Amino acid sequence: MLNQISVFSIFIESLSNLLALTCASVYIEYVKGKNLLPVNIKIKVSTMKFQLNLVKSILAVAGVAAVSAVSAAPASAFSFGNIVGGDTPGDAYVNSFSFDVIDQGSSVLFNIVNSGDAAASDMFISKVFFDDNEFLSGVANIYNNNDVAFSGGASNDQLPQGGNGFTTDYAFSRNTGAGNKWGIQGGETLGLSFTGDYNNVISGLTSGALKLGLHVQALPNGASDSYISSSSSSSNTQDTPEPLTMLAAGAAVGFGTMFKKQRAQAQKAE
């Protein structure tokens, strides 16, 4: 499910004038960490004509280098399951809900996702619950996106139909007002960040010691239902690929071939 590509800005600093560009320094501003990562590119050229032909290519390679320097943070994707013996109105829509867990160093980010379903287009997530068992150490941040607005924290609020050994340690509810607007509607995401160790959290989720619960409203016929995160089976988690790194590697090969052709043409013209 996770395919969050980090947003960053690229700054190019020329060490000489544009016509005699021989070296460029690329800085990546990684939005989440607010850190500048230097990537130095040095290119030896033979003639001014060759330099002019390569200016655009150098800038393009600078961007590729920047992309390859930023690899995706470790992350895993999880699904939700129906509650055995619980209500059934939402059983057919369980696959519409999932969450990703992203390593943020000293904290972990949970992205709660409602992918939507045309057969229940009005359904929305109204509450999110955590049965923690001491894997998490307090709420670091609540990331409300677009028309999603939640609040909450440490709580003993109960997941509807919870039972089954689910004890709430943290609960988050949509803000009231504006009808259902602030819930997690189809195609929307809520981010919840906690202080905690990523590897321990993943271990807790896969063993079932750490669980998430959802309460979903506005199902067909005005019904509601609850879900609990799946656990134990390796099929419920998957390492998130690093599309930026793969893209950069392929692009670097392509630019390398282009450079050889351009240099050969320049030498023939001399």
Side-chain angles (χ1 to χ4, degrees), residues 168-234:
T168 301
D169 296 296
Y170 298 94
F172 303 87
S173 302
R174 66 183 176 95
N175 293 348
T176 58
N180 301 334
K181 178 179 180 181
W182 304 122
I184 309 173
Q185 313 270 357
E188 294 181 338
T189 300
L190 168 68
L192 299 170
S193 177
F194 293 82
T195 302
D197 179 81
Y198 172 78
N199 291 325
N200 289 342
V201 167
I202 296 303
S203 176
L205 287 166
T206 54
S207 71
L210 170 60
K211 298 185 285 289
L212 274 68
L214 300 180
H215 187 222
V216 175
Q217 293 183 263
L219 290 166
N221 300 315
S224 64
D225 207 344
S226 296
Y227 308 92
I228 295 179
S229 56
S230 300
S231 61
S232 299
S233 173
S234 60

Side-chain angles (χ1 to χ4, degrees), residues 1-5 71-73 75 238-246:
M1 185 69 206
L2 177 72
N3 195 3
Q4 282 196 341
I5 298 178
S71 60
Q238 58 184 17
D239 291 333
T240 302
E242 300 183 0
L244 292 175
T245 302
M246 293 186 290

